[in-house]
Amino acid sequence: MRPAELNLARYSIRLDGETDFAGWRDAARRLALNEVRPEDISWHVVSNSDQGQTGLPAIPAGVQLVVSRDFIARAETAFCHSDPGRFAFLYRMLWRLRMEPKLLAIASDPDTRRLESMEKAVRRDSHKMHAFVRFRKIGDGDEERYVAWFEPDHFIVERNADFFVRRFTGMRWTILTPHASADWDGERLAIGPGAAKADAPAQDDTEALWRTYFENIFNPARLKVKAMQKEMPKKYWRNLPEASLIPDLIAGADKAAKEMIARMPTRPAPHHAKVQAKHWPKHEPTQAQDDDDASSISELREAAKSCRRCPLWRDATQTVFGEGPDNASVIFVGEQPGDQEDLAGKPFVGPAGKVFDSILDDAGVDRQKVYVTNAVKHFKFEPRGKRRIHSKPNAGEVQACRWWIDREFALIKPELAVALGATAALSLLGKAIPVTKMRGQVIEREDGLRVFITIHPSFILRIHEPAEKEAERARFLRDMREVKRLMRS
């Protein structure tokens, strides 16, 4: 049969699914090589494999179809769009490209603009999936897994499943959507049929933490409602635990902004008001002489108020010493006090402290029975306008403050120390270690003290990807449960 005679037939092409790009590509190649015009083809998605279709023509001998890699990549993205006419449209683009190889570079062409619009919509939908999937825990122990419900605009589940495999390799999870579902058992990824929202679990205990965290990081002074709704459309709100807070937070934004400015934690330290000269006095206060005479944590804390072992005391409001019982079996060591700790004079009372308290509670560790302190006792920061931005202490400052850490440990005599982050590990072990690689390990010092390595809870707050943040919180919770087991042993 000659190619011209094939044009008399109408081809009904069956695809095995909405994302059967391989099937479309094979059919399109055969049809184009046989000069089958776009208007002579109808495309269908058929789930019933018994339903027949007009046989595809064979590839003519000695004929090749040359298509740029750019078009194949862009077509594969646009193929995930929910437009039912996308199969015919992409074939029309392929048909035109044979005669117009520069078509994709013509920005004013209607088909080129349509292809670009479809690509953009699919990429945006993928971005929303990465940002707004919320896993909920079901089961415990060997039965533990995480399930999420998401409602995409396009057929993007299969396209984005590998993203979640890379991010949550150590979790067993399932993402349910109306179009398709993705399931990862820790070793194998499976794509299955769509589901209903009723198949997803109800809220779990972690969602209360999500709401607490979201409420604490909400900045009313920077609120732009239109911009927020553009990035987080209302259609996603019903599946986000923190979204229930948004209407009230928006309504009270003006009042909250005024209150925030009124209590702006950027006042200078009390001693700054008395020192207005351009230079500090030649003779600064010396370290208290009776530090070594302290026989209790309360006496050591009092002595630390006049600490001048490094220059950080000059800009800080006050010394922030450790807190907890004198006979604690475990000491948690962080990096340094933050802005709120500097004002309150107490460790772990800021946003990271709230996350820390919540996870300790979930792990069954009584905060009242542990001692918490920091490797450095003064807040180190950089002023930016009216704000004070945390600045990491250097090795010299950590070494200078280790004098206090050693005496805290000498008085309390704990059985276990928990290094929360790299700075704490440096202070406790005297050398830098890769926390991410050694996380969860116990290192025994020469004096017999066991040091458990993990991250600082502030690391969880710095993660922007919600699903990744939830996974990191779950990892830190497992670390704290291991700490509890070590405390018992």
Side-chain angles (χ1 to χ4, degrees), residues 269-282:
H271 52 267
H272 286 192
K274 300 177 181 179
V275 184
Q276 299 295 336
K278 292 184 178 180
H279 304 284
W280 289 91
K282 292 182 179 180

Side-chain angles (χ1 to χ4, degrees), residues 69-220:
R69 292 182 179 179
D70 181 45
F71 172 71
I72 295 300
R74 296 179 65 178
E76 190 170 11
T77 299
F79 198 86
C80 297
H81 200 279
S82 57
D83 183 351
R86 64 192 182 281
F87 311 128
F89 164 69
L90 291 173
Y91 184 78
R92 185 171 75 245
M93 288 288 292
L94 176 65
W95 181 265
R96 291 186 61 190
L97 279 166
R98 297 186 313 155
M99 303 301 295
E100 305 172 69
K102 302 295 184 181
L103 176 62
L104 296 180
I106 305 175
S108 60
D109 184 88
D111 282 346
T112 300
R113 291 203 306 269
R114 180 180 175 184
L115 177 64
E116 183 178 353
S117 177
M118 293 172 71
E119 288 180 277
K120 185 177 180 180
V122 171
R123 288 195 299 267
R124 181 175 176 81
D125 207 29
S126 295
H127 172 72
K128 298 306 179 188
M129 184 174 182
H130 296 173
F132 299 132
V133 160
R134 292 291 191 275
F135 286 107
R136 288 169 172 168
K137 177 185 172 184
I138 59 173
D140 291 297
D142 293 338
E143 301 299 321
E144 179 182 283
R145 69 181 302 109
Y146 293 83
V147 181
W149 169 256
F150 186 70
E151 299 175 46
D153 290 328
H154 306 290
F155 303 103
I156 61 169
V157 173
E158 189 171 0
R159 180 181 179 85
N160 289 278
D162 284 342
F163 168 86
F164 291 95
V165 170
R166 293 193 301 270
R167 288 296 187 273
F168 310 113
T169 305
M171 286 171 45
R172 293 190 302 164
W173 51 261
T174 302
I175 300 176
L176 305 174
T177 81
H179 304 314
S181 300
D183 181 85
W184 172 253
D185 64 4
E187 297 180 355
R188 182 182 62 88
L189 175 66
I191 304 297
K197 188 174 183 179
D199 298 325
Q203 68 177 14
D204 59 16
D205 295 338
T206 63
E207 299 197 1
L209 174 66
W210 270 111
R211 286 188 284 269
T212 300
Y213 166 71
F214 188 80
E215 190 172 15
N216 277 275
I217 67 168
F218 179 77
N219 187 344

